[in-house]
Amino acid sequence: MSDSTASQRLSVVQNHIQVAVCAAEEEKVKTPVESMAEERQKGTFNVRELTYFLEGGEKFTKIREKFMMELERDPTFRMHDIYDLTKDEIRARTLEKFRTIVHYVSAEPVPIFTLRMQSIALIDPGFWTRFGVHYGLFFGALRGSATSSQFSHWVSTKGALAMSGMIGRFAMTKLDHGSNIAGLETTATFDEASDQFIIHTPSITATKWWIGGAAHTATHCVVFAQLIIRGKRYGFKSFVVQLRDTKPTNSCLVSTLMGRDGIDNGWIQFTNVRIPRTNMLMKHTKVSRAAEVKEPAMAQLTY
């Protein structure tokens, strides 16, 4: 075999085993930001005008942008180090954020505050959820189910609006079948002698489950329970129950569950916890000192 023939064969073999460079690898791979910028350049419409349309007008867009700038320079809402923190550190920082935001609850009109919280939800959904459980669920339950005098008591005297000495949660969901209200097992039995309700968890399946803030921080919760008076059941009603001051009460057993790191989800069991009769939210169903029950025209109003 001549040298030239051997060289040709070697060249053919090399061509067979050589890995060809893919066309895609020859091109520069674009980052997501670059790809979005490229696509935006292809648009034939005014992006700013579309933004105004989607957000309800120029006024609301500028309000949102103002909120985002405030959050960007607020060290409490810094997110660059979030993956370097422990769960306990994340939860501590989440509580720090309450001090930054809580005064806006009463200082801003509801539509503007809603825009603020929508902006925060994009940055820190864990905090948004924890904040929303108090104001959306607990405070919402007070506003929807308490009488005017009860609402004034919890808001003005007990500090529910300013979260001054009170962090509220919403205890409805159960271990066995979630939010099936008709199947609630937790009981609230009226004791006429003491003018108190006795809140009790009769079984494991009645455990209040996945209650945001119950594991460590909640001081009070609105509890959904079956009202029992003189042996008769009147369906589910809502009651304000204190869980802890600095630690759980002897009759409230709580523990932690997993979830978003900023939220201390937990479960709750009540063992004959006594609360004043006036801790039942009585805007719709009313129970007198003499154990008389006055029901609303529509039972659904209770919820």
Side-chain angles (χ1 to χ4, degrees), residues 106 219 241:
S106 56
T219 61
V241 181

Side-chain angles (χ1 to χ4, degrees), residues 4 33 100 137 140 164 178 183 196 200 204 228 254 263 265 267 284:
S4 61
V33 173
T100 304
L137 296 179
S164 177
Q196 295 176 325
H200 186 62
I204 290 292
I228 302 175
V254 300
I263 310 167
N265 291 312
W267 54 263
H284 305 294

Side-chain angles (χ1 to χ4, degrees), residues 190-197 274-278 287-291:
F190 185 50
D191 178 15
E192 297 178 56
S194 62
D195 195 28
Q196 295 176 325
F197 284 108
R274 289 180 171 269
I275 62 172
R277 175 177 54 85
T278 51
V287 177
S288 70
R289 177 70 181 84

Side-chain angles (χ1 to χ4, degrees), residues 65-80:
E65 290 175 340
K66 171 179 174 289
F67 291 158
M68 291 302 292
M69 286 188 287
E70 290 176 354
L71 292 168
E72 285 173 355
R73 66 170 179 255
D74 187 339
T76 310
F77 279 91
R78 63 191 183 279
M79 300 298 290
H80 67 273

Side-chain angles (χ1 to χ4, degrees):
M1 182 184 297
S2 66
D3 292 342
S4 61
T5 303
S7 297
Q8 289 176 351
R9 290 187 177 181
L10 180 60
S11 176
V12 170
V13 172
Q14 287 176 335
N15 288 335
H16 276 299
I17 64 175
Q18 183 176 358
V19 178
V21 178
C22 297
E25 292 179 352
E26 292 178 344
E27 298 179 1
K28 180 179 180 297
V29 178
K30 298 183 179 68
T31 67
V33 173
E34 291 171 336
S35 296
M36 288 189 292
E38 182 179 305
E39 293 301 319
R40 284 168 178 162
Q41 292 298 319
K42 299 176 183 178
T44 58
F45 54 87
N46 187 309
V47 175
R48 193 66 176 174
E49 291 297 329
L50 179 61
T51 302
Y52 294 156
F53 174 77
L54 294 174
E55 296 188 345
E58 181 178 355
K59 170 187 174 182
F60 296 109
T61 296
K62 290 185 175 180
I63 290 173
R64 290 176 188 272
E65 290 175 340
K66 171 179 174 289
F67 291 158
M68 291 302 292
M69 286 188 287
E70 290 176 354
L71 292 168
E72 285 173 355
R73 66 170 179 255
D74 187 339
T76 310
F77 279 91
R78 63 191 183 279
M79 300 298 290
H80 67 273
D81 62 344
I82 197 71
Y83 297 108
D84 298 322
L85 303 179
T86 66
K87 185 187 297 182
D88 288 341
E89 289 171 335
I90 291 175
R91 290 178 175 176
R93 183 180 293 180
T94 301
L95 283 179
E96 289 177 12
K97 295 173 184 178
F98 277 86
R99 289 198 297 270
T100 304
I101 299 300
V102 70
H103 71 279
Y104 291 114
V105 175
S106 56
E108 290 182 334
V110 172
I112 302 302
F113 182 71
T114 300
L115 291 178
R116 181 182 294 278
M117 291 308 297
Q118 289 174 354
S119 300
I120 291 174
L122 296 174
I123 298 173
D124 190 347
F127 168 75
W128 177 83
T129 301
R130 194 168 189 174
F131 194 88
V133 170
H134 176 87
Y135 284 105
L137 296 179
F138 176 77
F139 192 82
L142 295 180
R143 185 170 53 187
S145 299
T147 64
S148 57
S149 60
Q150 286 180 320
F151 186 71
S152 177
H153 169 75
W154 293 111
V155 170
S156 302
T157 305
K158 293 297 186 179
L161 179 60
M163 296 186 72
S164 177
M166 171 179 282
I167 300 176
R169 293 299 178 254
F170 189 73
M172 178 184 68
T173 307
K174 292 175 52 210
L175 174 60
D176 63 343
H177 48 54
S179 300
N180 175 20
I181 301 301
L184 278 177
E185 298 177 67
T186 306
T187 58
T189 306
F190 185 50
D191 178 15
E192 297 178 56
S194 62
D195 195 28
Q196 295 176 325
F197 284 108
I198 303 172
I199 310 298
H200 186 62
T201 302
S203 66
I204 290 292
T205 56
T207 302
K208 298 296 184 181
W209 195 257
W210 212 259
I211 310 303
H216 302 295
T217 56
T219 61
H220 294 72
C221 62
V222 169
V223 177
F224 278 72
Q226 295 284 349
L227 173 62
I228 302 175
I229 298 181
R230 296 175 180 174
K232 180 179 178 180
R233 290 178 175 258
Y234 289 86
F236 70 89
K237 313 298 175 189
S238 49
F239 305 81
V240 178
V241 181
Q242 183 169 351
L243 292 179
R244 58 167 62 82
D245 185 359
T246 56
K247 60 183 180 179
T249 66
N250 291 333
S251 298
C252 295
L253 181 62
V254 300
S255 189
T256 188
L257 293 170
M258 296 299 292
R260 279 177 172 158
D261 287 344
I263 310 167
D264 51 316
N265 291 312
W267 54 263
I268 312 171
Q269 293 177 348
F270 305 98
T271 304
N272 294 325
V273 178
R274 289 180 171 269
I275 62 172
R277 175 177 54 85
T278 51
N279 276 30
M280 174 181 167
L281 301 180
M282 297 192 195
K283 180 177 181 179
H284 305 294
T285 299
K286 296 175 175 58
V287 177
S288 70
R289 177 70 181 84
E292 298 169 337
V293 181
K294 184 178 180 181
E295 292 273 48
M298 294 179 62
Q300 292 91 334
L301 289 175
T302 303
Y303 186 65

